[in-house]
Amino acid sequence: PFYCVNPDKLIVKQTGAEFLCAGVVAEKYKELGGKVHYFGKPFKDIYDLAFTYVPNVEKQDVLCIGDSMETDI
């Protein structure tokens, strides 16, 4: 199995340089028939884990802002 802890596919630096990320590798691995487990934003498990560290915070009081419609929304 492939564990993808950051499903981002592309990072664009301030200079405009683009870098492929783990999400691209996971996607290709899946296309080749491999099993991929995603853990990280935007998947629920990462938020459930984060809330174990701040037990007195209500979920409805948290706002998460990202930079990618595909992996942050």
Side-chain angles (χ1 to χ4, degrees):
F2 185 98
Y3 292 90
C4 186
V5 297
N6 182 350
D8 286 345
K9 294 180 181 173
L10 182 71
I11 292 176
V12 179
K13 298 289 185 176
Q14 289 179 337
T15 62
E18 296 181 350
F19 297 90
L20 297 179
C21 298
V24 173
V25 178
E27 191 174 78
K28 187 64 175 176
Y29 189 79
K30 194 173 187 179
E31 287 175 14
L32 294 170
K35 176 73 174 166
V36 177
H37 301 278
Y38 291 97
F39 189 83
K41 60 177 182 51
F43 302 99
K44 183 179 180 299
D45 291 343
I46 195 66
Y47 294 102
D48 290 341
L49 176 64
F51 277 102
T52 68
Y53 291 97
V54 287
N56 298 324
V57 175
E58 297 295 324
K59 291 179 181 178
Q60 66 267 15
D61 294 334
V62 174
L63 173 66
C64 295
I65 300 174
D67 62 354
S68 166
M69 289 297 289
E70 184 176 9
T71 58
D72 294 325
I73 304 298

